[in-house]
Amino acid sequence: NAGVMQNPRHLVRRRGQEARLRCSPMKGHSHVYWYRQLPEEGLKFMVYLQKENIIDESGMPKERFSAEFPKEGPSILRIQQVVRGDSAAYFCASSKRGTRETQYFGPGTRLLVL
Amino acid sequence: DQQVKQNSPSLSVQEGRISILNCDYTNSMFDYFLWYKKYPAEGPTFLISISSIKDKNEDGRFTVFLNKSAKHLSLHIVPSQPGDSAVYFCAATRPANAGGTSYGKLTFGQGTILTVHP
């Protein structure tokens, strides 16, 4: 999982601010997945993207959350007007193809909303 | 709706003995299963996987068993080592399209904390 890069590793925001989380997939990987882990819980799927396309966003909250994976640059998970319940660890994973290939995870971004 | 369940929050094992971690699932459409290990403040690390057409897959000290009729899988670690102490997650996935050529999200269990004592 060392190949998937996420930044920042830690992010502190006050309620109502915006949070931007970045993910650079492993070299050669064009599929990106975002997961969220709330305290004392397992990882929950949020969104699956390929370059310039959202493939599956069934796990994304309907409001305030958005994700993109532009042609150039990292994938971005954006949370607008953060609330305390958004405090969690956000993990990005990547795979080479959208097959049963293993998803490799980054180290995560720990978001704390004050 | 918890489609993948790990009913044991924790497991404590002596070094050198076998660790058995269990996982149950409810969705019969799942056809590929994975185990990940996670240390604190790090991302999950892939351990081993198994397709639903198999009932066993082995990789070194790690073996995964799948019982499709019971919708149950288990991870065996033999022999257990102190460095194996971590949180273990099982995950499942299913085809995202009718042709079965595309997969997407992983559905994770809640995790089991394994502690291996020297």
Side-chain angles (χ1 to χ4, degrees):
Chain A
N1 66 353
V4 179
M5 307 294 290
Q6 289 188 250
N7 68 80
R9 295 290 303 272
H10 300 273
L11 183 60
V12 180
R13 286 287 179 266
R14 296 191 182 280
R15 280 179 297 168
Q17 292 184 319
E18 179 180 286
R20 281 187 180 233
L21 288 63
R22 294 173 184 79
C23 169
S24 297
M26 284 180 72
K27 187 176 180 180
H29 286 193
S30 59
H31 296 251
V32 165
Y33 314 80
W34 285 93
Y35 294 84
R36 177 167 67 173
Q37 184 181 24
L38 295 169
E40 310 300 327
E41 293 188 15
L43 284 78
K44 296 281 197 306
F45 168 79
M46 298 182 76
V47 62
Y48 164 29
L49 311 105
Q50 294 179 39
K51 287 282 187 182
E52 300 184 283
N53 281 310
I54 296 175
I55 306 302
D56 180 358
E57 56 181 347
S58 59
M60 287 280 268
K62 299 296 181 200
E63 298 177 349
R64 303 187 297 108
F65 285 72
S66 62
E68 62 177 7
F69 189 15
K71 188 177 180 181
E72 302 290 337
S75 175
I76 307 286
L77 179 67
R78 183 183 178 205
I79 311 171
Q80 295 178 290
Q81 299 175 320
V82 296
V83 300
R84 288 212 173 110
D86 297 332
S87 295
Y90 292 82
F91 293 98
C92 167
S94 73
S95 67
K96 190 177 292 186
R97 293 180 292 268
T99 61
R100 289 191 295 190
E101 281 212 11
T102 300
Q103 294 180 21
Y104 293 91
F105 282 80
T109 294
R110 272 101 189 135
L111 172 65
L112 176 63
V113 180
L114 301 177
Chain B
D1 178 25
Q2 191 71 29
Q3 298 185 62
V4 178
K5 295 181 182 180
Q6 293 175 256
N7 291 317
S8 297
S10 63
L11 175 67
S12 183
V13 171
Q14 203 70 29
E15 181 179 6
R17 307 293 279 265
I18 184 171
S19 295
I20 300 176
L21 298 108
N22 293 302
C23 180
D24 297 293
Y25 62 96
T26 57
N27 190 337
S28 57
M29 297 297 292
F30 289 143
D31 68 352
Y32 194 64
F33 304 89
L34 308 92
W35 284 94
Y36 284 84
K37 178 168 79 171
K38 186 180 179 304
Y39 295 116
E42 293 185 12
T45 301
F46 169 74
L47 275 176
I48 193 169
S49 61
I50 188 167
S51 165
S52 60
I53 62 173
K54 295 185 175 181
D55 54 19
K56 177 182 174 181
N57 189 27
E58 195 171 349
D59 184 1
R61 296 186 298 115
F62 302 92
T63 303
V64 56
F65 296 91
L66 176 63
N67 183 333
K68 279 183 62 178
S69 60
K71 294 192 179 66
H72 177 83
L73 64 154
S74 61
L75 174 69
H76 292 211
I77 307 174
V78 182
S80 301
Q81 300 172 354
D84 296 329
S85 297
V87 181
Y88 288 77
F89 291 98
C90 73
T93 189
R94 50 169 285 187
N97 63 351
T101 57
S102 176
Y103 283 75
K105 63 183 179 184
L106 296 175
T107 301
F108 282 86
Q110 311 95 307
T112 296
I113 301 170
L114 174 65
T115 304
V116 180
H117 298 283

